[in-house]
Amino acid sequence: MKKNIFGMVTLLSVLALAACGGKSGGTDSSGSNNAATDTEDVSNFPIEVSNDAKAIDGGTLDVAVVMDTQFQGLFQNEFYQDNYDAQFMLPSNESLFLNDADFKIVDGGAANLKLDEDNNTATITLRDNLKWSDGKDVTADDIIFTYEVIGNKDYTGIRYDSNFTNIVGMEDYHDGKSDTISGITKESDKVVKIQYKQVHPGMMQAGGGIWSSALPKHAFEGIAVKDMESSDAVRKTPIVYGPYVMSNIVAGESVEYVPNEYYYGGKPKLDKLSFKAVPTASIVEAMKAKQYDMALSMPTDTYPTYKDAEGYQILGRTDTAYTYLGFKLGKWNAEEGKVEYNDKAKMADKSLRQAMGYALDNDAVGSRFYNGLRSNATTLIPPVFGTLHNSDVKGYTQDIDKANKLLDDAGYKDVDGDGLREDKNGDKLTINFASMSGGETAQPLADYYVQQWKEIGLDVKYTTGRLIDFQAFYDKLENDDPEIDVYQGAWNTGYDPSPMGLYGPNSAFNYTRFASDENTKLLEAIDSKDSFDDTKRKEAFDAWQEYAADEAFVIPTLYRSAVLPVSDRVTGFTWAYDVDHNPWATVAVTAESR
């Protein structure tokens, strides 16, 4: 699973980041229709459906994807960017590799992976019976083609990063000095060997340093790399090797699937799958009317309104996602593929950033507005990654006195007596804040943040004067819109805990554009050979988390638990991270109707 942008703020769903309203501390519910219930513990939720009835032959499964925007419709892993597209691809999209409960790659999937630490190589071996949905074999040529597309100078996606430049010969290929990538060799029709400058333990993580999907080379024949993103092979008729294949796409609204008759895992159980975008405001009523069998990206801020919905069981799990505040500190140099940090940026003083973190009470936000399904985030490595999460880092909990002292000591004073601080030169200081629309709590939560920042004397205004639609928000963020000084976002980290892909100097996903020699050094330590030693790997992760918390270029605000309502007629589905098969291949229904 790859890193991608979450909803409301980012990926999983706009509603994902919802918002919290109220007075100081976020404990006043004015502006929100949500009523808090008993605090929930997601560890008590089931992770798979419990329907033991006999499945019927065929049938249709109706799935809602809860979102308040339209999906982009980039239906290949190499081109999609946000979690909405990822949700709509679930039945057709399949990683090359399986993973265990620690998200480490294991044998048995579409391909096996062997990492040679001594020789800095990775060998990908495709299973013999792996075919594309048009019946053609998935071959080593497809794997190599995928690397050639991402590494091409005309590639329009965002996957070309340090994971790819780590391949021997990739930079020469990217710069046009070579027609091939010298470090990638075809060993046989089903085996590819990749020579790296250096291998590291993150390469054995699902979605980590080894690219875990493939493009069908024959489907892109005659299409220039610069035109691939807009091609039918990405947007209208994607060829895949997952259990289902897209049969009808209504742009931005819905996707229908039929079984992939060539799927290596056996014939899928359903005749059809239907995925449809459903607004946050109407999903609960749609569930009560039993219009859908599943609701993906279900908002947790309104959990009390659907937790007892008749005819549904609710699955739950800890998420690999977190919500955060990001501070714009530079620009992205697309030509050179690197971050250009600006130490004169408006938000360049870390005391200012830290103070904004200490102004907020995210414990209250999580318990009051998310019923315990969100909790105060402390570091940029979520607790789902076990010991790699540094539990000694306390992060930012509300401390108004500390926030004020930080600003005072840094020279942000109220010069004219209007209750708002000027900058260090005594000039007016206005901070532009971008946050996404969507969900019941998006506006109240954003308003709460603005209110809390005013309490410490900061004049914070909304970029564009209002909350911003998901797609427009990320367009502004990616293009370093000067109207944004601070923003509220969310990340789905995927299954690889390495933060290099989100905060490294060569990552387009590094939206804050923060870079420093120390940051790069600490990130490289995480992805170094030394980190094959578990103790050193833990030390490297701990050191970076401490540094990131102090620099506060990003301040994590909420960790997430996710819930998934599933109709009682559904069987054969699990939401566990460590399944030994694609759960969409085995999902079925036990009755014709809900």
Side-chain angles (χ1 to χ4, degrees):
M1 182 177 181
K2 304 177 179 67
K3 294 173 171 61
N4 45 15
I5 9 191
F6 234 0
M8 153 179 164
V9 145
T10 195
L11 265 313
L12 257 295
S13 151
V14 174
L15 40 104
L17 201 205
C20 144
K23 310 272 177 165
S24 176
T27 55
D28 183 325
S29 61
S30 61
S32 172
N33 295 323
N34 178 46
T37 65
D38 294 336
T39 298
E40 301 289 345
D41 181 353
V42 76
S43 67
N44 296 325
F45 286 55
I47 196 64
E48 59 185 36
V49 297
S50 57
N51 180 5
D52 295 326
K54 185 177 182 342
I56 64 171
D57 292 330
T60 297
L61 190 80
D62 294 296
V63 179
V65 180
V66 187
M67 55 193 294
D68 293 311
T69 187
Q70 292 192 325
F71 60 76
Q72 293 191 68
L74 300 174
F75 295 133
Q76 292 287 1
N77 276 327
E78 292 67 23
F79 293 98
Y80 91 94
Q81 298 183 28
D82 64 60
N83 201 58
Y84 296 126
D85 283 354
Q87 298 287 288
F88 276 92
M89 285 194 289
L90 284 171
S92 62
N93 177 34
E94 182 167 325
S95 172
L96 289 171
F97 313 117
L98 291 180
N99 62 270
D100 64 15
D102 291 324
F103 307 110
K104 290 184 178 178
I105 293 170
V106 295
D107 288 349
N112 292 338
L113 176 66
K114 182 180 179 182
L115 200 65
D116 186 333
E117 180 183 344
D118 294 328
N119 294 303
N120 291 325
T121 62
T123 301
I124 299 170
T125 303
L126 298 165
R127 58 165 56 235
D128 289 336
N129 60 338
L130 188 66
K131 293 181 180 292
W132 294 109
S133 51
D134 61 359
K136 297 184 183 297
D137 285 342
V138 181
T139 69
D141 290 333
D142 296 312
I143 300 293
I144 295 170
F145 174 71
T146 306
Y147 282 87
E148 290 174 342
V149 168
I150 294 176
N152 192 287
K153 63 179 175 57
D154 293 329
Y155 169 64
T156 56
I158 55 175
R159 306 297 178 190
Y160 185 72
D161 59 13
S162 57
N163 288 325
F164 289 90
T165 57
N166 187 29
I167 297 170
V168 171
M170 177 61 83
E171 289 174 294
D172 281 347
Y173 171 77
H174 180 78
D175 294 338
K177 297 175 182 177
S178 173
D179 293 333
T180 59
I181 304 166
S182 61
I184 301 181
T185 55
K186 177 181 175 180
E187 303 286 290
S188 72
D189 283 345
K190 291 286 186 176
V191 179
V192 173
K193 181 176 283 188
I194 304 175
Q195 182 74 51
Y196 286 91
K197 298 171 186 174
Q198 184 180 47
V199 298
H200 58 82
M203 290 177 163
M204 288 306 297
Q205 295 288 145
I210 310 290
W211 188 246
S212 58
S213 63
L215 285 169
K217 183 176 181 178
H218 62 282
F220 289 89
E221 191 172 351
I223 303 174
V225 172
K226 66 181 175 63
D227 298 325
M228 287 182 179
E229 186 174 304
S230 59
S231 70
D232 288 356
V234 170
R235 292 184 174 272
K236 294 182 179 180
T237 54
I239 293 171
V240 297
Y241 55 83
Y244 287 88
V245 60
M246 294 177 177
S247 58
N248 183 45
I249 299 169
V250 178
E253 296 179 10
S254 64
V255 177
E256 289 183 353
Y257 288 90
V258 294
N260 173 9
E261 61 180 300
Y262 299 103
Y263 182 58
Y264 72 88
K267 180 176 168 53
K269 310 297 184 186
L270 299 161
D271 290 332
K272 188 171 81 169
L273 273 161
S274 175
F275 275 50
K276 186 176 181 182
V278 179
T280 310
S282 57
I283 185 56
V284 175
E285 288 306 312
M287 281 178 59
K288 289 179 178 177
K290 295 184 171 62
Q291 293 178 15
Y292 298 98
D293 291 293
M294 291 186 189
L296 299 169
S297 297
M298 199 66 188
T300 51
D301 57 325
T302 54
Y303 176 73
T305 65
Y306 60 80
K307 69 170 187 168
D308 297 318
E310 184 183 353
Y312 291 88
Q313 54 186 312
I314 298 182
L315 309 185
R317 68 183 185 186
T318 303
D319 226 331
T320 58
Y322 58 86
T323 303
Y324 70 95
L325 294 173
F327 299 90
K328 274 293 188 180
L329 301 167
K331 295 187 178 298
W332 174 250
N333 185 326
E335 207 167 286
E336 297 185 24
K338 68 176 186 179
V339 164
E340 291 183 346
Y341 172 68
N342 175 14
D343 63 3
K344 300 294 192 296
K346 186 188 296 184
M347 310 307 295
D349 190 322
K350 73 178 181 182
S351 293
L352 173 59
R353 305 192 296 264
Q354 290 175 345
M356 292 179 75
Y358 283 121
L360 309 174
D361 187 350
N362 288 305
D363 283 315
V365 171
S367 61
R368 173 72 180 173
F369 292 93
Y370 296 100
N371 310 287
L373 295 173
R374 300 275 173 89
S375 60
N376 182 57
T378 54
T379 89
L380 297 173
I381 304 297
V384 70
F385 291 111
T387 59
L388 296 181
H389 166 75
N390 188 344
S391 57
D392 291 333
V393 174
K394 301 309 177 189
Y396 291 81
T397 54
Q398 190 176 57
D399 190 332
I400 299 298
D401 289 341
K402 182 180 282 190
N404 280 320
K405 186 174 190 311
L406 281 164
L407 293 172
D408 289 342
D409 291 349
Y412 294 94
K413 310 276 184 158
D414 178 10
V415 176
D416 56 14
D418 66 351
L420 297 173
R421 298 173 185 268
E422 276 67 42
D423 68 16
K424 296 179 185 183
N425 298 318
D427 297 326
K428 181 172 176 55
L429 174 65
T430 300
I431 298 171
N432 298 304
F433 174 46
S435 193
M436 272 183 262
S437 59
E440 269 193 26
T441 54
Q443 188 69 60
L445 179 55
D447 287 347
Y448 165 69
Y449 283 175
V450 170
Q451 169 190 292
Q452 289 305 108
W453 291 328
K454 186 175 182 180
E455 187 171 326
I456 60 171
L458 297 177
D459 182 24
V460 180
K461 306 288 190 188
Y462 287 122
T463 299
T464 75
R466 62 186 63 83
L467 299 190
I468 306 170
D469 170 77
F470 177 86
Q471 306 295 359
F473 175 90
Y474 276 100
D475 183 66
K476 284 179 175 292
L477 213 54
E478 289 160 11
N479 289 290
D480 300 320
D481 190 317
E483 283 190 86
I484 300 177
D485 298 316
V486 58
Y487 64 93
Q488 181 177 206
W491 278 121
N492 183 343
T493 66
Y495 300 160
D496 172 19
S498 171
M500 180 68 87
L502 295 179
Y503 302 113
N506 301 110
S507 172
F509 276 141
N510 182 351
Y511 290 141
T512 69
R513 312 313 186 198
F514 174 81
S516 72
D517 291 344
E518 182 69 7
N519 189 55
T520 301
K521 184 181 82 170
L522 293 170
L523 288 171
E524 288 176 345
I526 288 173
D527 289 344
S528 71
K529 273 196 173 182
D530 286 345
S531 284
F532 278 105
D533 180 300
D534 288 343
T535 300
K536 290 182 178 178
R537 192 174 193 225
K538 166 66 173 166
E539 290 172 354
F541 268 96
D542 282 356
W544 180 78
Q545 287 170 84
E546 290 172 7
Y547 174 79
D550 180 62
E551 285 293 333
F553 49 88
V554 161
I555 295 178
T557 53
L558 294 167
Y559 292 136
R560 303 169 174 218
S561 297
V563 294
L564 174 63
V566 182
S567 167
D568 288 342
R569 76 173 184 136
V570 174
T571 189
F573 182 80
T574 176
W575 209 27
Y577 289 119
D578 59 337
V579 289
D580 62 0
H581 62 281
N582 187 317
W584 296 95
T586 56
V587 67
V589 292
T590 57
E592 288 289 350
S593 60
R594 287 173 287 282

